[in-house]
Amino acid sequence: MSVQELVVRRGRRSGVTTMVAVHSRTLGPAVGGCRFKVYPGIHDAIDDVLRLSSAMTRKCAVAGLDFGGGKSVITLESLPTPRQRREILLDHADLIASLDGAYLAGPDVGTGPDDMLVLRERTPHVFCVPEEHGGTGSSSGPTAVGVLAALRAGAKTVFGDDEMKGRKVVISGYGSVGAHLATDLVAQGAEVIVSDVDERRLLAAEEQGLGWVHPERVFGIEAEVLIPAAVGGVFGPATEVKAPLVVGPANNQLTEDAVADGLADRGVVWVPDFVASAGGVVYTLGREAENLTHAEALARVERLESTTRQILDAASANGTTPLAEANALAEARLTAGAEPRTPPPREPRTAA
């Protein structure tokens, strides 16, 4: 699944470099969030947009969406003023418009519904503008619903049931999705501990009665469930994970695909991030592209539980990993251009 198109352009208003990667349009127009952040250099931004667009292809395919994968990045050297931010967004909107519908943008790290409204001034190919302007607004809530659906499937595989009462859950990243997850899991009776690089978020968590730890300690906590809900690249070959189940919305959690084998060898069930994080895009496209009701779109998000169970069951039956089975499911749909189906068995994975 190689990238179809990468467009990098310096904005005429701002002078800031923005880019769009269209990874696949096999199933339909490419969709993916617009990331707005400071990068060490241009090549770091390009690497990021390519990785993220590939993950979006797999996310859409596994979720059964008639859309391909894409991503866009606005690469900054420093944080802009409000006026500069608007100019940067308008420049990025011009780049999106030049692709004539091949790529459809939504919010991502560093952007939100109000930013999508600025993009829409120059291009109609935008999702998740504020509700008062006809969009679905933030997708954080549906993303959390999807994570919880995947978590239920994972819990049944690891623990035999999806009961969260009395179980310790660590959430790494207490942003909008992490906060939604914490609230729901506490309501289910779980013991929730959160972590975040932003001290203000930790204070907010403490005020809500949650336990918290600093990020450097988060993977050292003995727990039943670990939920990565912040940045990607957190699991490498030497990363020690002390929870038997890992499922969360952070994108590109593994530094390389081979890490999935190492986690499995150590008895950790890792639900692929592009499966667990699909709730937001499933909901948004259902509402805005297909005019589904809120209830109908959420029902589609809930189906991620059965998709996750299918992947985990196949990994167990075939002696492979959840990542291998999720990739096979995506490839099967991309090849057939049809609804996801169970791929044929493959050779069992050999433990390291």
PDB file of all heavy atoms in Angstrom, residues 138 215 264 318:
ATOM      1  N   SER A 138     -16.801  18.281  17.376  1.00  0.00           N
ATOM      2  CA  SER A 138     -15.726  17.411  17.844  1.00  0.00           C
ATOM      3  C   SER A 138     -16.124  15.942  17.741  1.00  0.00           C
ATOM      4  O   SER A 138     -17.246  15.554  18.067  1.00  0.00           O
ATOM      5  CB  SER A 138     -15.382  17.732  19.301  1.00  0.00           C
ATOM      6  OG  SER A 138     -14.459  16.794  19.815  1.00  0.00           O
ATOM      7  N   PRO A 215       4.129  11.251  33.171  1.00  0.00           N
ATOM      8  CA  PRO A 215       4.275  10.371  31.996  1.00  0.00           C
ATOM      9  C   PRO A 215       5.409   9.362  32.073  1.00  0.00           C
ATOM     10  O   PRO A 215       5.264   8.237  31.583  1.00  0.00           O
ATOM     11  CB  PRO A 215       4.483  11.369  30.847  1.00  0.00           C
ATOM     12  CG  PRO A 215       3.806  12.610  31.301  1.00  0.00           C
ATOM     13  CD  PRO A 215       4.019  12.667  32.787  1.00  0.00           C
ATOM     14  N   ALA A 264       3.058  -9.691  21.847  1.00  0.00           N
ATOM     15  CA  ALA A 264       2.362 -10.979  21.901  1.00  0.00           C
ATOM     16  C   ALA A 264       3.211 -12.032  22.604  1.00  0.00           C
ATOM     17  O   ALA A 264       2.697 -12.846  23.380  1.00  0.00           O
ATOM     18  CB  ALA A 264       1.999 -11.425  20.492  1.00  0.00           C
ATOM     19  N   ASN A 318      -5.224 -18.577  14.339  1.00  0.00           N
ATOM     20  CA  ASN A 318      -4.157 -18.718  13.345  1.00  0.00           C
ATOM     21  C   ASN A 318      -2.755 -18.673  13.944  1.00  0.00           C
ATOM     22  O   ASN A 318      -1.769 -18.842  13.223  1.00  0.00           O
ATOM     23  CB  ASN A 318      -4.275 -17.620  12.288  1.00  0.00           C
ATOM     24  CG  ASN A 318      -5.546 -17.737  11.470  1.00  0.00           C
ATOM     25  OD1 ASN A 318      -6.092 -18.821  11.321  1.00  0.00           O
ATOM     26  ND2 ASN A 318      -6.017 -16.613  10.938  1.00  0.00           N
TER      27      ASN A 318
END
